[in-house]
């Protein structure tokens, strides 16, 4: 694995005098029906707590598995263009989609043997179908139709997605980090692919690492990391949290519910 230098997006704390509240949204996976209520919860919480400028970070995996990947990208593209409070990160599924559109690649070296983006359980076919693309054709025809039907501004949006963002003591990435390596020297692909090396490490990462990628039944606070992918792709909810220093609150229709830390796996 090589080491790379790349910029970390720092979201400035306009208040300076106290830690900023920041919202995070988990993996969406083509579920526009789950995204809209979460956006409403965030707006209601901003109003209730008087924090209209609090930023939002969505941790990636906009596409695949759910039926409306096209609509999700369009919604977040429009929202980000009009709302500077929103940052969207690159997930591994987003990278696979972009790689297919760019070079026609179906495989990625991080996928297990025999698996491609267009394998039924990966969800690539569902993403293409959301754009009206016939996936029963031969591959050259599928690729040509995808390049014709996926709008240029969607491709530009995917290319623009950040690898990470930091607000005060919260570091946001899609999958995790490789422990012991400074954030600006991480392998970029680790940030949206890594699993066990990160998930099984209980050491202090310096910041609370907020991530998705590996589904959990409910939001998990491990002290050094916060897992917020609650399986929207597989019938679970799409979760949103608000983070204040290292305190974490799940947003619900009945208000905030604190998520307390427990021992890391």
């Amino acid at each position: 694995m090589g080491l790379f230098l790349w910029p970390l997006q720092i979201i400035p704390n306009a208040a300076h005098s106290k830690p900023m509240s920041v919202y995070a949204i988990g993996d969406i996976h083509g579920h526009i029906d789950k995204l809209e209520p979460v956006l409403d919860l965030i707006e209601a919480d901003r109003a209730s707590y008087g924090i209209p400028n609090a930023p939002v970070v969505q941790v990636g995996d906009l596409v695949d598995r759910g039926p409306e990947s096209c609509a999700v990208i369009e919604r977040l593209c429009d929202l980000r263009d009009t709302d500077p409070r929103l940052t969207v990160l690159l997930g591994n599924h987003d990278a696979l989609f972009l790689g297919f559109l760019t070079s026609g690649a179906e495989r990625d070296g991080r996928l297990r043997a025999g698996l491609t983006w267009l394998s039924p359980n990966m969800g690539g076919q569902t993403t293409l179908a959301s754009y009206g693309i016939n996936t029963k054709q031969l591959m050259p025809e599928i690729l040509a139709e995808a390049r014709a039907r996926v709008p240029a501004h969607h491709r530009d949006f995917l290319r623009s997605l950040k690898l990470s963002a930091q607000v005060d003591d919260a570091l946001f990435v899609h999958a995790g980090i490789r422990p012991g390596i400074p954030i600006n020297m991480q392998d970029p692909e680790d940030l949206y692919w890594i699993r066990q090396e990160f998930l099984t490490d209980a050491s202090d990462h310096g910041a609370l690492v907020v991530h998705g990628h590996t589904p959990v039944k409910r939001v998990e606070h491990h002290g050094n990391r916060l897992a917020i992918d609650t399986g929207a792709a597989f019938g679970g909810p799409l979760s949103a949290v608000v983070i204040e220093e290292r305190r974490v609150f799940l947003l619900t229709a009945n208000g905030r519910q604190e998520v307390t830390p427990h021992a890391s796996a």
Side-chain angles (χ1 to χ4, degrees):
M1 179 193 71
L3 297 181
F4 302 83
L5 292 171
W6 47 268
L8 168 66
Q9 183 186 17
I10 305 293
I11 299 175
N13 183 341
H16 295 296
S17 60
K18 61 181 181 179
M20 180 185 288
S21 299
V22 56
Y23 298 95
I25 302 173
D27 303 34
I28 302 169
H29 281 295
H31 283 282
I32 191 71
D33 59 324
K34 298 180 182 183
L35 175 60
E36 293 298 346
V38 160
L39 294 174
D40 290 342
L41 287 175
I42 290 172
E43 285 308 307
D45 192 83
R46 278 173 168 154
S48 293
Y49 287 85
I51 46 174
N53 296 321
V56 180
V57 181
Q58 195 283 323
V59 298
D61 273 4
L62 313 181
V63 304
D64 294 349
R65 299 189 173 125
E68 297 291 346
S69 292
C70 175
V72 169
I73 291 178
E74 184 68 18
R75 179 71 171 100
L76 290 180
C77 187
D78 286 347
L79 186 59
R80 198 189 65 178
D81 284 348
T82 58
D83 189 347
R85 298 172 298 179
L86 175 66
T87 297
V88 183
L89 302 185
L90 181 76
N92 61 309
H93 284 265
D94 311 315
L96 288 167
F97 182 29
L98 183 58
F100 179 74
L101 293 171
T102 302
S103 65
E106 295 179 65
R107 273 204 49 76
D108 185 281
R110 302 269 183 143
L111 289 172
R112 66 177 180 269
L115 198 63
T116 75
W117 180 62
L118 291 175
S119 297
N121 59 333
M122 286 297 293
Q125 292 187 43
T126 306
T127 294
L128 294 176
S130 76
Y131 287 90
I133 296 160
N134 176 13
T135 59
K136 303 302 182 184
Q137 309 171 82
L138 296 175
M139 186 51 59
E141 285 75 24
I142 294 173
L143 179 58
E145 191 174 351
R147 286 173 170 168
R149 286 183 174 268
V150 176
H153 70 279
H154 283 204
R155 284 174 285 182
D156 291 342
F157 177 76
L158 291 170
R159 291 188 191 99
S160 74
L161 298 182
K162 306 299 182 182
L163 293 177
S164 68
Q166 186 157 2
V167 180
D168 293 334
D169 199 33
L171 173 66
F172 300 86
V173 291
H174 175 65
I177 62 172
R178 191 163 292 277
I181 296 176
I183 184 63
N184 66 334
M185 296 184 69
Q186 295 273 332
D187 181 333
E189 289 190 356
D190 277 342
L191 300 181
Y192 54 90
W193 276 111
I194 199 168
R195 287 197 199 273
Q196 292 308 312
E197 302 95 326
F198 168 67
L199 298 176
T200 58
D201 189 279
S203 61
D204 183 0
H205 301 306
L208 176 66
V209 181
V210 184
H211 67 95
H213 188 53
T214 301
V216 291
K217 289 184 178 179
R218 59 190 62 84
V219 172
E220 294 181 356
H221 192 336
H222 292 267
N224 65 341
R225 66 180 179 89
L226 180 71
I228 63 170
D229 176 6
T230 48
F234 305 107
L238 176 62
S239 292
V241 299
V242 60
I243 303 161
E244 295 174 342
E245 295 187 279
R246 293 213 174 196
R247 293 186 74 188
V248 176
F249 302 88
L250 178 69
L251 301 187
T252 78
N254 297 316
R256 295 183 176 189
Q257 294 181 357
E258 187 160 11
V259 180
T260 55
H262 60 80
S264 186

